[in-house]
């Protein structure tokens, strides 16, 4: 089975610029997650979709971050405008069901964002 | 408020010996726990999980132990191999009341180095 695909792998932008990340989850996976991982920290959930509906976006900085999951498959995460503290690895993950027992997360390789 | 804690940022173990990675949590509503392994420049890979109704789960060289009264879980790797050198994250899952979906909260990770 093909894994979670993310692009780009790396992105360098200046502060106040905008950037977008793309994720294609494993086929058939209903739930999609975007995590932010700052160096030396664990992944932090930004937003969680079930099919194309948002389940949790409580930790998404909505003044600058937005995400969508059209048709319940691919997803994009956008930052506009970027700040220095947004430098991190952005991980996309998906799970077959709604999570919980027997439904672990499967991660993509992430996008490393550097804001200068 | 860090609900999932990995208090050891790093661990070094000789090849062939046992590696023990620890994780503590504070939320008694967590009912599913997972361990992920992460190599540099890759996304976390699911390793093993345990439900709150069990106290042990074993898969080959990897065993996870759960002590609910102490809110503590540990991952044992026996015997340790150089290829096990990676960052290990524990994660805990909690269901959203009434929605049927789950959220995953990650610890900060422990870097394991297995010495040949």
């Amino acid at each position: 089975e093909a894994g979670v695909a993310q692009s780009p792998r790396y992105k360098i932008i200046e502060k106040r610029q905008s950037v977008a990340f793309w994720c294609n989850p494993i086929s058939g996976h209903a739930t999609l997650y975007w995590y932010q991982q700052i160096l030396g920290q664990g992944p932090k959930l930004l937003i969680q979709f079930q099919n194309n509906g948002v389940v949790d976006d409580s930790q998404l900085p909505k003044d600058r971050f937005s995400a969508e999951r059209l048709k319940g498959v691919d997803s994009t995460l956008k930052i506009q405008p970027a700040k220095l503290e947004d430098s991190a690895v952005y991980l996309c993950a998906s799970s077959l069901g709604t999570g919980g027992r027997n439904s672990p997360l499967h991660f993509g390789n992430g996008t490393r964002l550097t804001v200068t | 408020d860090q609900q999932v804690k990995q208090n050891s940022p790093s661990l070094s173990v000789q090849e062939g010996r046992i590696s023990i990675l620890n994780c503590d949590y504070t939320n008694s509503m967590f009912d599913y726990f997972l361990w992920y392994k992460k190599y540099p420049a890759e996304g976390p890979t699911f390793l093993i999980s345990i439900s709150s109704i069990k106290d042990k789960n074993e898969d080959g060289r990897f065993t996870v132990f759960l002590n609910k009264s102490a809110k503590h879980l540990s991952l044992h790797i026996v015997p340790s191999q150089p290829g096990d050198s990676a960052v290990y994250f524990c994660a805990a899952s909690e269901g959203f009341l009434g929605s049927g979906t789950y959220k995953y909260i990650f610890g900060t990770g422990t870097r394991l180095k297995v010495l040949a």
Side-chain angles (χ1 to χ4, degrees):
Chain A
E1 120 187 307
V4 176
Q6 287 188 248
S7 67
R9 286 300 311 273
Y10 305 93
K11 191 74 177 178
I12 300 174
I13 62 172
E14 294 181 353
K15 59 183 179 184
R16 291 186 290 273
Q17 286 187 323
S18 63
V19 65
F21 313 126
W22 173 81
C23 173
N24 187 18
I26 294 173
S27 178
H29 279 200
T31 309
L32 185 147
Y33 314 75
W34 283 102
Y35 282 85
Q36 179 193 58
Q37 186 178 11
I38 293 173
L39 189 63
Q41 299 182 19
K44 183 185 88 170
L45 180 68
L46 292 175
I47 188 167
Q48 179 174 341
F49 293 93
Q50 185 178 338
N51 297 313
N52 59 351
V54 175
V55 174
D56 181 15
D57 63 357
S58 59
Q59 296 197 81
L60 186 74
K62 298 180 188 64
D63 57 334
R64 298 183 301 105
F65 286 64
S66 64
E68 60 181 5
R69 189 183 185 195
L70 298 176
K71 300 180 182 178
V73 182
D74 293 10
S75 178
T76 56
L77 176 70
K78 296 179 182 177
I79 307 174
Q80 182 180 8
K83 293 185 175 181
L84 294 176
E85 59 260 36
D86 298 332
S87 294
V89 175
Y90 290 85
L91 294 162
C92 180
S94 66
S95 63
L96 180 60
T98 55
R101 297 174 192 180
N102 302 316
S103 187
L105 303 185
H106 297 269
F107 283 90
N109 285 330
T111 296
R112 179 176 295 279
L113 174 67
T114 302
V115 182
T116 62
Chain B
D1 177 27
Q2 192 75 24
Q3 296 188 67
V4 179
K5 300 176 185 177
Q6 293 177 257
N7 292 317
S8 299
S10 64
L11 175 69
S12 291
V13 171
Q14 283 296 130
E15 181 179 7
R17 305 294 292 268
I18 183 171
S19 295
I20 300 176
L21 296 96
N22 295 304
C23 180
D24 297 294
Y25 62 96
T26 57
N27 187 345
S28 58
M29 298 301 291
F30 289 145
D31 60 359
Y32 182 55
F33 303 88
L34 310 91
W35 283 95
Y36 282 81
K37 179 168 73 173
K38 186 182 183 304
Y39 292 120
E42 294 183 11
T45 303
F46 171 68
L47 195 55
I48 191 170
S49 63
I50 187 166
S51 162
S52 60
I53 61 174
K54 294 186 174 182
D55 56 17
K56 177 183 174 181
N57 188 27
E58 193 171 349
D59 183 2
R61 298 186 296 114
F62 303 91
T63 303
V64 56
F65 295 92
L66 176 62
N67 182 333
K68 283 189 297 182
S69 61
K71 294 191 177 69
H72 177 83
L73 67 155
S74 61
L75 174 68
H76 292 211
I77 306 173
V78 182
S80 300
Q81 299 174 354
D84 297 328
S85 297
V87 177
Y88 289 78
F89 292 98
C90 69
S93 174
E94 175 188 13
F96 288 115
L97 289 175
S99 71
T101 59
Y102 292 78
K103 66 188 297 184
Y104 295 82
I105 297 172
F106 284 78
T108 53
T110 296
R111 182 179 300 277
L112 173 66
K113 190 170 186 178
V114 179
L115 306 169

